[in-house]
Amino acid sequence: MSTSGIVHRPRRLRATPRMRRLVAEHRLHAADLVLPLFVKEGISAPVPISSMPGQVQHSEATLHDAVTAAARAGLGGVMLFGIPAVRDARGTQAEAPDGILQRGIRIAREAVAAVESETGRPGPVVMADTCLDEFTDHGHCGVLTDGPDGTAVVDNDATLERYATMAVAQARAGADVVSPSGMMDGQVAAIRDALDDAGFEHVSILAYSAKYASPFYGPFREAVDSALQGDRRTYQMDAANAREGLREADLDLAEGADMVMVKPAGSYLDVLRGVADRSDVPVAAYQVSGEYAMIEAAAANGWIDRRASVLESVLGIRRAGADVILTYWALEIASWLE
């Protein structure tokens, strides 16, 4: 019998690395990770993104190399963002059959197929961002119209038509998953109907269901050469609202979303947990550019341990309920997990 009076000693399960590994409640796997990639029209070499050290705008040639690396690392997916040479008010390059994003999708599919043939293992799922902000000359996620006070606002229903056309173009190019990220009401239903009518019943929808208007998107604006003036608070969510995020996820689930997402991840772990608890489909979370940049900056100054901080930040997202994690560190993490 113990003479100390202590019956329970949880520290026994933390005593050694091998014991901690055995009893870990959550684990990271390369197949759970999705690597966001930017492909820019008209460049012949990668362009570094200054606010996201280690990340680049890819040329079409280097996009092929990046997707090949993702496939060989066993990542679960790649998320593609296109940066066109020409923009207009309606973002017409978003649906162009030979537009930069559609070319990027085809390149990614070719790279995945080559590695699958070489290794005999499944490659990453090819996902495409289904939003107009990279393609419009005003930088908003939809078509603009005059609001009640005469200022320009995004026309929700007109934008749905644009998303539907864009999603079909992405499916024709070979996307496995289309990913509406504009936070338009009814976007999942509109895209599902368009995909099904065009014969793409097999293409999945990853809905950005609870996407908050966040300052943590700042470096992303550089990454896509955003033309945005003002903000997106009339259609992206208010940081104060958690219940609203759950309602948005419920609506997307009711409209037929195959997966739902919370974005950003780190500041909204409570929302992520709530969505995971009520969702009967896989739940994704996006560790966004500002989260990446903060850790990179602190590590570069020697203030934190970079590798440990990266892994802890991503594991926290996993612990909060994410089945799929979009992170710019996906390749590095996969190499650390080997």
PDB file of all heavy atoms in Angstrom, residues 76-110:
ATOM      1  N   GLY A  76      -2.236  14.850 -47.956  1.00  0.00           N
ATOM      2  CA  GLY A  76      -3.604  14.506 -48.321  1.00  0.00           C
ATOM      3  C   GLY A  76      -4.162  15.326 -49.456  1.00  0.00           C
ATOM      4  O   GLY A  76      -5.057  14.877 -50.170  1.00  0.00           O
ATOM      5  N   GLY A  77      -3.661  16.554 -49.625  1.00  0.00           N
ATOM      6  CA  GLY A  77      -4.203  17.393 -50.679  1.00  0.00           C
ATOM      7  C   GLY A  77      -3.342  18.602 -50.951  1.00  0.00           C
ATOM      8  O   GLY A  77      -2.421  18.923 -50.192  1.00  0.00           O
ATOM      9  N   VAL A  78      -3.636  19.262 -52.058  1.00  0.00           N
ATOM     10  CA  VAL A  78      -3.085  20.574 -52.381  1.00  0.00           C
ATOM     11  C   VAL A  78      -4.263  21.484 -52.713  1.00  0.00           C
ATOM     12  O   VAL A  78      -5.231  21.059 -53.342  1.00  0.00           O
ATOM     13  CB  VAL A  78      -2.093  20.534 -53.563  1.00  0.00           C
ATOM     14  CG1 VAL A  78      -0.827  19.783 -53.177  1.00  0.00           C
ATOM     15  CG2 VAL A  78      -2.721  19.918 -54.808  1.00  0.00           C
ATOM     16  N   MET A  79      -4.190  22.730 -52.230  1.00  0.00           N
ATOM     17  CA  MET A  79      -5.215  23.729 -52.509  1.00  0.00           C
ATOM     18  C   MET A  79      -4.609  24.792 -53.413  1.00  0.00           C
ATOM     19  O   MET A  79      -3.623  25.445 -53.042  1.00  0.00           O
ATOM     20  CB  MET A  79      -5.709  24.369 -51.212  1.00  0.00           C
ATOM     21  CG  MET A  79      -6.698  25.508 -51.420  1.00  0.00           C
ATOM     22  SD  MET A  79      -8.288  24.984 -52.103  1.00  0.00           S
ATOM     23  CE  MET A  79      -9.053  24.304 -50.609  1.00  0.00           C
ATOM     24  N   LEU A  80      -5.183  24.983 -54.601  1.00  0.00           N
ATOM     25  CA  LEU A  80      -4.606  25.864 -55.600  1.00  0.00           C
ATOM     26  C   LEU A  80      -5.305  27.220 -55.649  1.00  0.00           C
ATOM     27  O   LEU A  80      -6.543  27.296 -55.652  1.00  0.00           O
ATOM     28  CB  LEU A  80      -4.683  25.220 -56.979  1.00  0.00           C
ATOM     29  CG  LEU A  80      -4.027  23.840 -57.122  1.00  0.00           C
ATOM     30  CD1 LEU A  80      -4.145  23.369 -58.563  1.00  0.00           C
ATOM     31  CD2 LEU A  80      -2.571  23.866 -56.682  1.00  0.00           C
ATOM     32  N   PHE A  81      -4.489  28.269 -55.718  1.00  0.00           N
ATOM     33  CA  PHE A  81      -4.950  29.638 -55.907  1.00  0.00           C
ATOM     34  C   PHE A  81      -4.287  30.184 -57.164  1.00  0.00           C
ATOM     35  O   PHE A  81      -3.062  30.079 -57.323  1.00  0.00           O
ATOM     36  CB  PHE A  81      -4.569  30.516 -54.712  1.00  0.00           C
ATOM     37  CG  PHE A  81      -5.192  30.090 -53.413  1.00  0.00           C
ATOM     38  CD1 PHE A  81      -4.564  29.145 -52.606  1.00  0.00           C
ATOM     39  CD2 PHE A  81      -6.388  30.628 -52.996  1.00  0.00           C
ATOM     40  CE1 PHE A  81      -5.128  28.744 -51.407  1.00  0.00           C
ATOM     41  CE2 PHE A  81      -6.967  30.232 -51.793  1.00  0.00           C
ATOM     42  CZ  PHE A  81      -6.339  29.289 -50.997  1.00  0.00           C
ATOM     43  N   GLY A  82      -5.084  30.775 -58.059  1.00  0.00           N
ATOM     44  CA  GLY A  82      -4.544  31.311 -59.301  1.00  0.00           C
ATOM     45  C   GLY A  82      -4.430  32.823 -59.263  1.00  0.00           C
ATOM     46  O   GLY A  82      -5.290  33.510 -58.701  1.00  0.00           O
ATOM     47  N   ILE A  83      -3.371  33.353 -59.873  1.00  0.00           N
ATOM     48  CA  ILE A  83      -3.139  34.793 -59.940  1.00  0.00           C
ATOM     49  C   ILE A  83      -3.032  35.166 -61.420  1.00  0.00           C
ATOM     50  O   ILE A  83      -2.015  34.907 -62.066  1.00  0.00           O
ATOM     51  CB  ILE A  83      -1.851  35.180 -59.194  1.00  0.00           C
ATOM     52  CG1 ILE A  83      -1.877  34.618 -57.772  1.00  0.00           C
ATOM     53  CG2 ILE A  83      -1.682  36.702 -59.171  1.00  0.00           C
ATOM     54  CD1 ILE A  83      -0.522  34.636 -57.086  1.00  0.00           C
ATOM     55  N   PRO A  84      -4.085  35.758 -61.990  1.00  0.00           N
ATOM     56  CA  PRO A  84      -4.096  36.032 -63.430  1.00  0.00           C
ATOM     57  C   PRO A  84      -3.304  37.282 -63.787  1.00  0.00           C
ATOM     58  O   PRO A  84      -3.057  38.155 -62.950  1.00  0.00           O
ATOM     59  CB  PRO A  84      -5.583  36.238 -63.718  1.00  0.00           C
ATOM     60  CG  PRO A  84      -6.107  36.842 -62.444  1.00  0.00           C
ATOM     61  CD  PRO A  84      -5.337  36.169 -61.327  1.00  0.00           C
ATOM     62  N   ALA A  85      -2.950  37.379 -65.041  1.00  0.00           N
ATOM     63  CA  ALA A  85      -2.253  38.572 -65.528  1.00  0.00           C
ATOM     64  C   ALA A  85      -3.218  39.726 -65.754  1.00  0.00           C
ATOM     65  O   ALA A  85      -2.843  40.895 -65.654  1.00  0.00           O
ATOM     66  CB  ALA A  85      -1.519  38.250 -66.829  1.00  0.00           C
ATOM     67  N   VAL A  86      -4.481  39.401 -66.066  1.00  0.00           N
ATOM     68  CA  VAL A  86      -5.488  40.424 -66.359  1.00  0.00           C
ATOM     69  C   VAL A  86      -6.699  40.198 -65.464  1.00  0.00           C
ATOM     70  O   VAL A  86      -7.182  39.067 -65.328  1.00  0.00           O
ATOM     71  CB  VAL A  86      -5.917  40.371 -67.842  1.00  0.00           C
ATOM     72  CG1 VAL A  86      -7.015  41.395 -68.116  1.00  0.00           C
ATOM     73  CG2 VAL A  86      -4.717  40.616 -68.760  1.00  0.00           C
ATOM     74  N   ARG A  87      -7.188  41.306 -64.875  1.00  0.00           N
ATOM     75  CA  ARG A  87      -8.365  41.237 -64.021  1.00  0.00           C
ATOM     76  C   ARG A  87      -9.423  42.201 -64.539  1.00  0.00           C
ATOM     77  O   ARG A  87      -9.112  43.180 -65.209  1.00  0.00           O
ATOM     78  CB  ARG A  87      -7.983  41.602 -62.582  1.00  0.00           C
ATOM     79  CG  ARG A  87      -7.066  40.580 -61.935  1.00  0.00           C
ATOM     80  CD  ARG A  87      -6.478  41.095 -60.648  1.00  0.00           C
ATOM     81  NE  ARG A  87      -5.862  40.013 -59.888  1.00  0.00           N
ATOM     82  CZ  ARG A  87      -4.968  40.184 -58.936  1.00  0.00           C
ATOM     83  NH1 ARG A  87      -4.557  41.401 -58.618  1.00  0.00           N
ATOM     84  NH2 ARG A  87      -4.466  39.143 -58.297  1.00  0.00           N
ATOM     85  N   ASP A  88     -10.681  41.915 -64.190  1.00  0.00           N
ATOM     86  CA  ASP A  88     -11.761  42.832 -64.538  1.00  0.00           C
ATOM     87  C   ASP A  88     -12.804  42.790 -63.435  1.00  0.00           C
ATOM     88  O   ASP A  88     -12.668  42.055 -62.451  1.00  0.00           O
ATOM     89  CB  ASP A  88     -12.350  42.504 -65.902  1.00  0.00           C
ATOM     90  CG  ASP A  88     -12.898  41.084 -66.004  1.00  0.00           C
ATOM     91  OD1 ASP A  88     -13.456  40.582 -64.993  1.00  0.00           O
ATOM     92  OD2 ASP A  88     -12.766  40.455 -67.062  1.00  0.00           O
ATOM     93  N   ALA A  89     -13.851  43.571 -63.600  1.00  0.00           N
ATOM     94  CA  ALA A  89     -14.839  43.738 -62.532  1.00  0.00           C
ATOM     95  C   ALA A  89     -15.574  42.445 -62.205  1.00  0.00           C
ATOM     96  O   ALA A  89     -15.989  42.235 -61.059  1.00  0.00           O
ATOM     97  CB  ALA A  89     -15.831  44.833 -62.913  1.00  0.00           C
ATOM     98  N   ARG A  90     -15.752  41.579 -63.190  1.00  0.00           N
ATOM     99  CA  ARG A  90     -16.492  40.333 -62.975  1.00  0.00           C
ATOM    100  C   ARG A  90     -15.583  39.127 -62.773  1.00  0.00           C
ATOM    101  O   ARG A  90     -16.058  38.023 -62.549  1.00  0.00           O
ATOM    102  CB  ARG A  90     -17.436  40.064 -64.150  1.00  0.00           C
ATOM    103  CG  ARG A  90     -18.566  41.074 -64.250  1.00  0.00           C
ATOM    104  CD  ARG A  90     -19.500  40.771 -65.409  1.00  0.00           C
ATOM    105  NE  ARG A  90     -20.102  39.443 -65.318  1.00  0.00           N
ATOM    106  CZ  ARG A  90     -21.137  39.124 -64.561  1.00  0.00           C
ATOM    107  NH1 ARG A  90     -21.681  40.052 -63.790  1.00  0.00           N
ATOM    108  NH2 ARG A  90     -21.636  37.905 -64.566  1.00  0.00           N
ATOM    109  N   GLY A  91     -14.287  39.333 -62.851  1.00  0.00           N
ATOM    110  CA  GLY A  91     -13.364  38.224 -62.651  1.00  0.00           C
ATOM    111  C   GLY A  91     -13.515  37.134 -63.691  1.00  0.00           C
ATOM    112  O   GLY A  91     -13.515  35.940 -63.369  1.00  0.00           O
ATOM    113  N   THR A  92     -13.615  37.523 -64.961  1.00  0.00           N
ATOM    114  CA  THR A  92     -13.937  36.547 -66.002  1.00  0.00           C
ATOM    115  C   THR A  92     -12.858  35.483 -66.196  1.00  0.00           C
ATOM    116  O   THR A  92     -13.157  34.380 -66.674  1.00  0.00           O
ATOM    117  CB  THR A  92     -14.210  37.257 -67.344  1.00  0.00           C
ATOM    118  OG1 THR A  92     -13.117  38.127 -67.648  1.00  0.00           O
ATOM    119  CG2 THR A  92     -15.479  38.083 -67.269  1.00  0.00           C
ATOM    120  N   GLN A  93     -11.611  35.784 -65.834  1.00  0.00           N
ATOM    121  CA  GLN A  93     -10.560  34.768 -65.969  1.00  0.00           C
ATOM    122  C   GLN A  93     -10.761  33.599 -65.008  1.00  0.00           C
ATOM    123  O   GLN A  93     -10.171  32.535 -65.189  1.00  0.00           O
ATOM    124  CB  GLN A  93      -9.187  35.403 -65.748  1.00  0.00           C
ATOM    125  CG  GLN A  93      -8.657  36.163 -66.938  1.00  0.00           C
ATOM    126  CD  GLN A  93      -8.462  35.247 -68.141  1.00  0.00           C
ATOM    127  OE1 GLN A  93      -7.708  34.292 -68.102  1.00  0.00           O
ATOM    128  NE2 GLN A  93      -9.165  35.548 -69.232  1.00  0.00           N
ATOM    129  N   ALA A  94     -11.615  33.776 -64.023  1.00  0.00           N
ATOM    130  CA  ALA A  94     -11.876  32.695 -63.067  1.00  0.00           C
ATOM    131  C   ALA A  94     -12.482  31.473 -63.740  1.00  0.00           C
ATOM    132  O   ALA A  94     -12.289  30.345 -63.278  1.00  0.00           O
ATOM    133  CB  ALA A  94     -12.801  33.193 -61.954  1.00  0.00           C
ATOM    134  N   GLU A  95     -13.222  31.685 -64.816  1.00  0.00           N
ATOM    135  CA  GLU A  95     -13.900  30.563 -65.478  1.00  0.00           C
ATOM    136  C   GLU A  95     -13.313  30.231 -66.843  1.00  0.00           C
ATOM    137  O   GLU A  95     -13.777  29.306 -67.520  1.00  0.00           O
ATOM    138  CB  GLU A  95     -15.381  30.898 -65.660  1.00  0.00           C
ATOM    139  CG  GLU A  95     -15.619  31.988 -66.697  1.00  0.00           C
ATOM    140  CD  GLU A  95     -16.872  32.785 -66.422  1.00  0.00           C
ATOM    141  OE1 GLU A  95     -17.109  33.141 -65.263  1.00  0.00           O
ATOM    142  OE2 GLU A  95     -17.609  33.033 -67.384  1.00  0.00           O
ATOM    143  N   ALA A  96     -12.287  30.969 -67.263  1.00  0.00           N
ATOM    144  CA  ALA A  96     -11.703  30.747 -68.586  1.00  0.00           C
ATOM    145  C   ALA A  96     -11.122  29.335 -68.668  1.00  0.00           C
ATOM    146  O   ALA A  96     -10.335  28.941 -67.806  1.00  0.00           O
ATOM    147  CB  ALA A  96     -10.617  31.779 -68.862  1.00  0.00           C
ATOM    148  N   PRO A  97     -11.479  28.568 -69.691  1.00  0.00           N
ATOM    149  CA  PRO A  97     -10.968  27.196 -69.792  1.00  0.00           C
ATOM    150  C   PRO A  97      -9.443  27.117 -69.768  1.00  0.00           C
ATOM    151  O   PRO A  97      -8.884  26.161 -69.240  1.00  0.00           O
ATOM    152  CB  PRO A  97     -11.528  26.707 -71.129  1.00  0.00           C
ATOM    153  CG  PRO A  97     -12.754  27.530 -71.346  1.00  0.00           C
ATOM    154  CD  PRO A  97     -12.435  28.883 -70.775  1.00  0.00           C
ATOM    155  N   ASP A  98      -8.792  28.153 -70.308  1.00  0.00           N
ATOM    156  CA  ASP A  98      -7.334  28.166 -70.296  1.00  0.00           C
ATOM    157  C   ASP A  98      -6.798  29.237 -69.345  1.00  0.00           C
ATOM    158  O   ASP A  98      -5.670  29.693 -69.487  1.00  0.00           O
ATOM    159  CB  ASP A  98      -6.791  28.414 -71.713  1.00  0.00           C
ATOM    160  CG  ASP A  98      -5.331  27.969 -71.850  1.00  0.00           C
ATOM    161  OD1 ASP A  98      -4.974  26.935 -71.236  1.00  0.00           O
ATOM    162  OD2 ASP A  98      -4.557  28.661 -72.539  1.00  0.00           O
ATOM    163  N   GLY A  99      -7.610  29.621 -68.375  1.00  0.00           N
ATOM    164  CA  GLY A  99      -7.156  30.564 -67.360  1.00  0.00           C
ATOM    165  C   GLY A  99      -6.112  29.936 -66.454  1.00  0.00           C
ATOM    166  O   GLY A  99      -5.951  28.706 -66.416  1.00  0.00           O
ATOM    167  N   ILE A 100      -5.415  30.756 -65.707  1.00  0.00           N
ATOM    168  CA  ILE A 100      -4.274  30.270 -64.924  1.00  0.00           C
ATOM    169  C   ILE A 100      -4.679  29.218 -63.885  1.00  0.00           C
ATOM    170  O   ILE A 100      -3.949  28.250 -63.663  1.00  0.00           O
ATOM    171  CB  ILE A 100      -3.515  31.447 -64.260  1.00  0.00           C
ATOM    172  CG1 ILE A 100      -2.258  30.944 -63.547  1.00  0.00           C
ATOM    173  CG2 ILE A 100      -4.430  32.204 -63.304  1.00  0.00           C
ATOM    174  CD1 ILE A 100      -1.260  30.241 -64.433  1.00  0.00           C
ATOM    175  N   LEU A 101      -5.840  29.374 -63.270  1.00  0.00           N
ATOM    176  CA  LEU A 101      -6.222  28.383 -62.261  1.00  0.00           C
ATOM    177  C   LEU A 101      -6.573  27.051 -62.908  1.00  0.00           C
ATOM    178  O   LEU A 101      -6.177  25.984 -62.409  1.00  0.00           O
ATOM    179  CB  LEU A 101      -7.393  28.904 -61.423  1.00  0.00           C
ATOM    180  CG  LEU A 101      -7.811  28.020 -60.245  1.00  0.00           C
ATOM    181  CD1 LEU A 101      -6.614  27.617 -59.374  1.00  0.00           C
ATOM    182  CD2 LEU A 101      -8.869  28.730 -59.394  1.00  0.00           C
ATOM    183  N   GLN A 102      -7.276  27.109 -64.036  1.00  0.00           N
ATOM    184  CA  GLN A 102      -7.590  25.842 -64.726  1.00  0.00           C
ATOM    185  C   GLN A 102      -6.310  25.166 -65.245  1.00  0.00           C
ATOM    186  O   GLN A 102      -6.168  23.939 -65.184  1.00  0.00           O
ATOM    187  CB  GLN A 102      -8.559  26.102 -65.869  1.00  0.00           C
ATOM    188  CG  GLN A 102     -10.027  26.142 -65.439  1.00  0.00           C
ATOM    189  CD  GLN A 102     -10.329  27.301 -64.509  1.00  0.00           C
ATOM    190  OE1 GLN A 102     -10.418  27.115 -63.285  1.00  0.00           O
ATOM    191  NE2 GLN A 102     -10.481  28.508 -65.065  1.00  0.00           N
ATOM    192  N   ARG A 103      -5.356  25.963 -65.739  1.00  0.00           N
ATOM    193  CA  ARG A 103      -4.074  25.378 -66.160  1.00  0.00           C
ATOM    194  C   ARG A 103      -3.361  24.766 -64.959  1.00  0.00           C
ATOM    195  O   ARG A 103      -2.769  23.680 -65.051  1.00  0.00           O
ATOM    196  CB  ARG A 103      -3.186  26.444 -66.816  1.00  0.00           C
ATOM    197  CG  ARG A 103      -3.788  27.051 -68.067  1.00  0.00           C
ATOM    198  CD  ARG A 103      -2.756  27.630 -69.020  1.00  0.00           C
ATOM    199  NE  ARG A 103      -1.853  28.606 -68.454  1.00  0.00           N
ATOM    200  CZ  ARG A 103      -2.058  29.929 -68.434  1.00  0.00           C
ATOM    201  NH1 ARG A 103      -3.194  30.427 -68.919  1.00  0.00           N
ATOM    202  NH2 ARG A 103      -1.158  30.740 -67.944  1.00  0.00           N
ATOM    203  N   GLY A 104      -3.421  25.459 -63.830  1.00  0.00           N
ATOM    204  CA  GLY A 104      -2.792  24.928 -62.623  1.00  0.00           C
ATOM    205  C   GLY A 104      -3.407  23.615 -62.172  1.00  0.00           C
ATOM    206  O   GLY A 104      -2.702  22.692 -61.740  1.00  0.00           O
ATOM    207  N   ILE A 105      -4.722  23.523 -62.273  1.00  0.00           N
ATOM    208  CA  ILE A 105      -5.399  22.269 -61.914  1.00  0.00           C
ATOM    209  C   ILE A 105      -4.917  21.126 -62.789  1.00  0.00           C
ATOM    210  O   ILE A 105      -4.620  20.020 -62.306  1.00  0.00           O
ATOM    211  CB  ILE A 105      -6.926  22.446 -62.022  1.00  0.00           C
ATOM    212  CG1 ILE A 105      -7.438  23.409 -60.945  1.00  0.00           C
ATOM    213  CG2 ILE A 105      -7.636  21.092 -61.906  1.00  0.00           C
ATOM    214  CD1 ILE A 105      -8.865  23.871 -61.163  1.00  0.00           C
ATOM    215  N   ARG A 106      -4.841  21.382 -64.093  1.00  0.00           N
ATOM    216  CA  ARG A 106      -4.386  20.322 -65.012  1.00  0.00           C
ATOM    217  C   ARG A 106      -2.943  19.920 -64.710  1.00  0.00           C
ATOM    218  O   ARG A 106      -2.601  18.727 -64.741  1.00  0.00           O
ATOM    219  CB  ARG A 106      -4.547  20.785 -66.455  1.00  0.00           C
ATOM    220  CG  ARG A 106      -6.007  20.867 -66.905  1.00  0.00           C
ATOM    221  CD  ARG A 106      -6.131  21.031 -68.409  1.00  0.00           C
ATOM    222  NE  ARG A 106      -5.760  22.365 -68.849  1.00  0.00           N
ATOM    223  CZ  ARG A 106      -6.617  23.387 -68.978  1.00  0.00           C
ATOM    224  NH1 ARG A 106      -7.892  23.225 -68.658  1.00  0.00           N
ATOM    225  NH2 ARG A 106      -6.206  24.556 -69.416  1.00  0.00           N
ATOM    226  N   ILE A 107      -2.103  20.896 -64.421  1.00  0.00           N
ATOM    227  CA  ILE A 107      -0.711  20.600 -64.069  1.00  0.00           C
ATOM    228  C   ILE A 107      -0.658  19.739 -62.815  1.00  0.00           C
ATOM    229  O   ILE A 107       0.095  18.751 -62.739  1.00  0.00           O
ATOM    230  CB  ILE A 107       0.076  21.907 -63.863  1.00  0.00           C
ATOM    231  CG1 ILE A 107       0.297  22.612 -65.202  1.00  0.00           C
ATOM    232  CG2 ILE A 107       1.407  21.657 -63.158  1.00  0.00           C
ATOM    233  CD1 ILE A 107       0.773  24.044 -65.071  1.00  0.00           C
ATOM    234  N   ALA A 108      -1.459  20.108 -61.815  1.00  0.00           N
ATOM    235  CA  ALA A 108      -1.466  19.357 -60.555  1.00  0.00           C
ATOM    236  C   ALA A 108      -1.939  17.927 -60.776  1.00  0.00           C
ATOM    237  O   ALA A 108      -1.357  16.965 -60.232  1.00  0.00           O
ATOM    238  CB  ALA A 108      -2.346  20.065 -59.531  1.00  0.00           C
ATOM    239  N   ARG A 109      -2.968  17.756 -61.575  1.00  0.00           N
ATOM    240  CA  ARG A 109      -3.460  16.400 -61.840  1.00  0.00           C
ATOM    241  C   ARG A 109      -2.408  15.558 -62.548  1.00  0.00           C
ATOM    242  O   ARG A 109      -2.233  14.372 -62.245  1.00  0.00           O
ATOM    243  CB  ARG A 109      -4.755  16.463 -62.678  1.00  0.00           C
ATOM    244  CG  ARG A 109      -5.990  16.879 -61.906  1.00  0.00           C
ATOM    245  CD  ARG A 109      -6.328  15.936 -60.761  1.00  0.00           C
ATOM    246  NE  ARG A 109      -6.600  14.595 -61.202  1.00  0.00           N
ATOM    247  CZ  ARG A 109      -7.831  14.110 -61.407  1.00  0.00           C
ATOM    248  NH1 ARG A 109      -8.892  14.875 -61.205  1.00  0.00           N
ATOM    249  NH2 ARG A 109      -8.002  12.861 -61.796  1.00  0.00           N
ATOM    250  N   GLU A 110      -1.710  16.154 -63.479  1.00  0.00           N
ATOM    251  CA  GLU A 110      -0.641  15.426 -64.181  1.00  0.00           C
ATOM    252  C   GLU A 110       0.465  15.013 -63.218  1.00  0.00           C
ATOM    253  O   GLU A 110       0.979  13.878 -63.272  1.00  0.00           O
ATOM    254  CB  GLU A 110      -0.069  16.292 -65.302  1.00  0.00           C
ATOM    255  CG  GLU A 110      -1.024  16.503 -66.471  1.00  0.00           C
ATOM    256  CD  GLU A 110      -0.530  17.568 -67.433  1.00  0.00           C
ATOM    257  OE1 GLU A 110       0.586  18.089 -67.218  1.00  0.00           O
ATOM    258  OE2 GLU A 110      -1.254  17.888 -68.401  1.00  0.00           O
TER     259      GLU A 110
END
